[in-house]
Coordinates of all heavy atoms in Angstrom, one line a residue:
M1128 N 118.8 191.0 79.2 CA 119.4 191.1 77.9 C 120.5 192.3 77.9 O 120.4 193.3 78.7 CB 118.4 191.5 76.8 CG 117.1 190.7 76.8 SD 117.5 188.9 76.2 CE 116.1 188.3 76.8
D1129 N 121.5 192.1 77.1 CA 122.4 193.3 76.8 C 121.7 194.3 76.0 O 120.6 194.1 75.5 CB 123.7 192.9 76.2 CG 123.5 192.4 74.7 OD1 122.4 192.3 74.3 OD2 124.5 192.1 74.1
L1130 N 122.1 195.5 75.9 CA 121.6 196.6 75.2 C 121.3 196.4 73.8 O 120.2 196.9 73.2 CB 122.3 197.9 75.4 CG 121.6 199.3 75.2 CD1 120.3 199.3 76.0 CD2 122.5 200.4 75.4
S1131 N 122.0 195.5 73.0 CA 121.9 195.3 71.7 C 120.7 194.2 71.5 O 120.3 194.0 70.4 CB 123.2 194.7 71.1 OG 123.5 193.4 71.6
M1198 N 108.3 198.7 81.1 CA 107.8 200.1 81.1 C 107.6 200.6 79.6 O 108.7 200.4 78.9 CB 108.8 201.1 81.8 CG 109.0 200.7 83.3 SD 110.3 201.9 84.0 CE 111.8 201.1 83.3
R1203 N 107.6 204.1 73.6 CA 108.7 203.2 73.4 C 108.9 202.4 74.7 O 108.6 202.8 75.8 CB 109.9 204.1 73.0 CG 110.3 205.0 74.2 CD 111.6 205.9 73.7 NE 111.9 206.7 74.7 CZ 112.7 206.4 75.8 NH1 113.1 205.2 76.0 NH2 113.0 207.3 76.9
L1204 N 109.5 201.3 74.5 CA 110.0 200.5 75.6 C 111.2 201.2 76.3 O 112.1 201.6 75.6 CB 110.4 199.1 75.2 CG 109.3 198.0 75.0 CD1 109.9 196.9 74.3 CD2 108.6 197.7 76.4
E1205 N 111.1 201.4 77.6 CA 112.2 201.9 78.3 C 113.0 200.8 78.9 O 112.5 200.1 79.8 CB 111.8 202.8 79.5 CG 112.8 203.4 80.4 CD 113.8 204.1 79.5 OE1 113.6 205.2 78.9 OE2 115.0 203.6 79.6
R1206 N 114.3 200.7 78.5 CA 115.2 199.5 78.9 C 116.3 199.9 79.8 O 117.0 199.1 80.2 CB 115.6 198.9 77.7 CG 114.5 198.1 76.8 CD 115.1 197.4 75.7 NE 115.8 196.2 76.2 CZ 117.1 195.9 75.6 NH1 117.6 196.5 74.6 NH2 117.8 194.9 76.2
G1207 N 116.4 201.2 80.0 CA 117.6 201.7 80.9 C 118.9 201.9 80.1 O 118.9 201.6 78.9
R1208 N 119.8 202.4 80.8 CA 121.1 202.6 80.3 C 121.9 201.3 79.7 O 122.5 201.3 78.6 CB 122.2 203.3 81.2 CG 123.6 203.5 80.8 CD 123.7 204.3 79.5 NE 125.0 204.4 79.2 CZ 125.7 203.4 78.4 NH1 125.1 202.4 78.0 NH2 127.0 203.6 78.0
F1209 N 121.7 200.2 80.4 CA 122.3 199.0 80.0 C 121.4 198.0 79.5 O 121.8 196.8 79.3 CB 123.2 198.5 81.2 CG 124.2 199.4 81.7 CD1 124.1 200.1 82.8 CD2 125.4 199.8 81.0 CE1 124.9 201.0 83.3 CE2 126.3 200.6 81.4 CZ 126.1 201.3 82.6
G1210 N 120.2 198.3 79.3 CA 119.2 197.2 78.7 C 118.6 196.4 79.8 O 117.8 195.5 79.5
L1211 N 118.8 196.8 81.0 CA 118.4 195.9 82.2 C 117.3 196.3 83.0 O 116.9 195.8 84.0 CB 119.6 195.7 83.1 CG 120.8 195.1 82.5 CD1 121.9 194.8 83.4 CD2 120.5 193.8 81.7
A1212 N 116.6 197.5 82.5 CA 115.5 198.1 83.3 C 114.3 197.1 83.4 O 114.1 196.3 82.5 CB 115.1 199.4 82.7
G1213 N 113.5 197.3 84.4 CA 112.2 196.6 84.5 C 112.4 195.2 85.2 O 111.4 194.5 85.4

Side-chain angles (χ1 to χ4, degrees):
M1128 312 292 165
D1129 67 354
L1130 195 56
S1131 70
M1198 298 177 285
R1203 64 181 180 83
L1204 278 170
E1205 175 55 63
R1206 299 186 58 223
R1208 170 61 182 84
F1209 302 106
L1211 305 179

